[in-house]
Amino acid sequence: MKLGLVLPGGGARAAYQVGVLRAIADLLPARAINPFPVITGTSAGAVNATALAVHADRFRVAVGNLERVWRNFQVEQVFRADTASMMRSGLHWLFAMMSGGWLLPPPKSLFDNSPLRELLKEQFDFARVSKSIEAGQLDALSIAAAGYITARSVSFYESKAGSVPWARLRRVGEPAQLSLDHLMASVAVPFLFPPVLMGNEYYGDGAMRQASPFSSAIHLGADRLLVIGTRNESHVVCPQPPVCPTFGQIFGYMLDALFTDGLYADMERLTQINNLLDNGLPAQQGELHLRKINLLVILPSRDISEIARHHVGSLPRALRVLLRTMGALNTGGGQLMSYLLFQDSFTRELIALGYQDAMKRSEDLLAFIGGFSVASTGATGVMRRLSSRQEQSAETQ
């Protein structure tokens, strides 16, 4: 049975994934190779996935390099947030809108993320992905992006021989020699970062149109999936009386839906299929062949949006002014902040949280990685908790 690792997007929240990976590295032997033959990533999760793939020969080294970057992150390493850059961006938007595009063309994005390109170029040698595959330390790496022209979710993958491209409604798998452009396309959050031209099409963040985040891992041969999410599913109490959401809160809500709703929908779908197969449903349904996919899901035990609110003071002043103008510093604005808070104080707290959450499930993790069954694992337990919370919420209304 082949184990796959699924790392969804989440902006700065992806630091939580690093903490979970750090725990796994500590649980495994010191010189262990990568334990995940298939690795798939989306947006910031694609950055973490690539880090594991380029050093698949030494899993602890890969995680150590990744942790070092995340523990020392500064916003300026991801996008230009100094006062001059923010003023130029604001004036560009202003003159473009006032002149209808005559004085200046519409800007491609709110932020300039060229510093991130330089950072990733320095950190990743993509030629090592092919070497890891040739050495048998990795079967496949997949990076998701979304095409703006074809309106498709595209999983660009590099794999050992035998993997077959796939095409479904609005989603495809395309073999490719993965590069920095694929990674920059996957992290190109709409409006915030500019799209990336590859071939004859511009691509944006991989979470867009990604209705089936587990699809690429399954197509590439995985039948056991470790999923590291970035959203806590604790019940949110609405303020009394309700307060009209600000633009910043709405934008944070949109990013939250972009990065996580497809994940939970796919989780629910796979859980239902697994239950049907367990109850005797034939695996062969006409031309469709169903197979059971075992899931182990690790989610934050705390609300990351609330954690972010305690670190807003570490952001550059110009960015704080922008967030305040958008209403993201008000009550309920923590979602947007949590995606943009590429600051070491915040990322270190998320790494620590991920490590603690993973260590609490160390027995489950080791059993799952070792190929053993884990009781009440993965989506089943998560969906039960979600259903319970929905029922409790309905009872109080």
Side-chain angles (χ1 to χ4, degrees):
M1 299 180 74
K2 187 177 293 186
L3 180 62
L5 176 65
V6 179
L7 300 175
R13 292 178 175 221
Y16 176 82
Q17 298 173 346
V18 179
V20 176
L21 294 170
R22 171 79 270 169
I24 295 173
D26 286 351
L27 291 170
L28 295 177
R31 301 183 67 85
I33 65 170
N34 160 55
F36 306 104
V38 176
I39 304 177
T40 69
T42 302
S43 196
V47 175
N48 294 339
T50 303
L52 300 182
V54 298
H55 289 291
D57 57 329
R58 293 286 298 276
F59 184 68
R60 185 168 293 189
V61 170
V63 174
N65 291 341
L66 186 61
E67 184 182 11
R68 184 171 60 254
V69 172
W70 278 97
R71 285 183 63 84
N72 297 289
F73 245 140
Q74 301 293 314
V75 166
E76 292 84 356
Q77 293 177 288
V78 180
F79 57 89
R80 301 193 187 283
D82 58 279
T83 302
S85 297
M86 298 295 285
M87 287 185 64
R88 279 197 301 270
S89 177
L91 289 172
H92 191 156
W93 279 96
L94 179 63
F95 286 127
M97 288 189 294
M98 290 180 61
S99 66
W102 285 99
L103 291 177
L104 286 173
K108 294 181 179 180
S109 62
L110 180 62
F111 300 126
D112 173 8
N113 67 342
S114 56
L116 178 61
R117 176 178 281 273
E118 292 304 313
L119 175 65
L120 297 180
K121 182 178 180 180
E122 176 185 323
Q123 293 292 323
F124 296 150
D125 177 6
F126 281 86
R128 291 184 62 93
V129 176
S130 300
K131 293 178 181 178
S132 296
I133 293 173
E134 292 171 1
Q137 298 149 353
L138 179 72
D139 284 1
L141 169 67
S142 174
I143 296 175
Y148 279 108
I149 297 175
T150 58
R152 300 181 307 177
S153 173
V154 184
S155 296
F156 295 102
Y157 68 88
E158 195 164 343
S159 70
K160 67 178 185 180
S163 297
V164 180
W166 62 92
R168 300 292 186 269
L169 183 64
R170 296 292 186 185
R171 57 185 174 90
V172 298
E174 292 185 4
Q177 184 173 352
L178 295 177
S179 67
L180 183 57
D181 282 341
H182 292 96
L183 196 51
M184 291 302 297
S186 188
V187 301
V189 180
F191 300 114
L192 296 183
F193 301 142
V196 176
L197 178 63
M198 293 190 294
N200 297 318
E201 186 166 12
Y202 277 95
Y203 290 87
D205 194 283
M208 294 189 294
R209 292 194 176 274
Q210 194 181 41
S212 301
F214 303 152
S215 171
S216 58
I218 295 171
H219 278 289
L220 292 169
D223 44 26
R224 300 165 59 80
L225 300 180
L226 172 62
V227 183
I228 308 176
T230 59
R231 183 173 73 184
N232 170 272
E233 286 301 326
S234 59
H235 180 63
V236 178
V237 178
C238 294
Q240 298 292 335
V243 178
C244 182
T246 64
F247 177 79
Q249 289 174 254
I250 293 173
F251 194 27
Y253 180 91
M254 292 171 59
L255 290 180
D256 189 62
L258 175 73
F259 288 128
T260 59
D261 282 6
L263 178 73
Y264 285 100
D266 211 12
M267 192 185 303
E268 186 173 9
R269 182 164 48 248
L270 282 185
T271 301
Q272 292 171 344
I273 293 174
N274 286 345
N275 289 338
L276 289 172
L277 291 173
D278 286 341
N279 290 316
L281 179 73
Q284 193 70 36
Q285 299 289 317
E287 298 182 357
L288 182 65
H289 179 73
L290 303 176
R291 58 192 174 103
K292 184 172 181 178
I293 305 297
N294 292 317
L295 293 174
L296 178 60
V297 184
I298 305 293
L299 298 175
S301 58
R302 294 170 57 196
D303 186 350
I304 292 181
S305 296
E306 284 304 309
I307 296 175
R309 294 183 61 82
H310 298 292
H311 296 273
V312 65
S314 66
L315 287 171
R317 184 175 183 276
L319 183 56
R320 291 204 309 271
V321 171
L322 174 63
L323 291 172
R324 184 178 295 111
T325 304
M326 297 170 65
L329 300 190
N330 300 338
T331 301
Q335 280 186 333
L336 180 57
M337 282 189 293
S338 69
Y339 291 112
L340 298 178
L341 245 166
F342 292 94
Q343 289 292 129
D344 52 6
S345 64
F346 178 63
T347 57
R348 289 183 184 197
E349 186 166 352
L350 293 195
I351 290 172
L353 178 63
Y355 189 89
Q356 292 167 6
D357 289 348
M359 281 302 186
K360 289 177 182 177
R361 303 191 65 183
S362 58
E363 292 184 3
D364 285 350
L365 279 167
L366 285 174
F368 197 75
I369 292 172
F372 298 100
S373 60
V374 179
S376 301
T377 186
T380 302
V382 174
M383 299 314 298
R384 283 174 181 168
R385 292 198 298 272
L386 291 179
S387 297
S388 174
R389 286 170 184 151
Q390 290 168 356
E391 290 171 1
Q392 292 172 3
S393 177
E395 290 173 358
T396 59
Q397 292 177 355

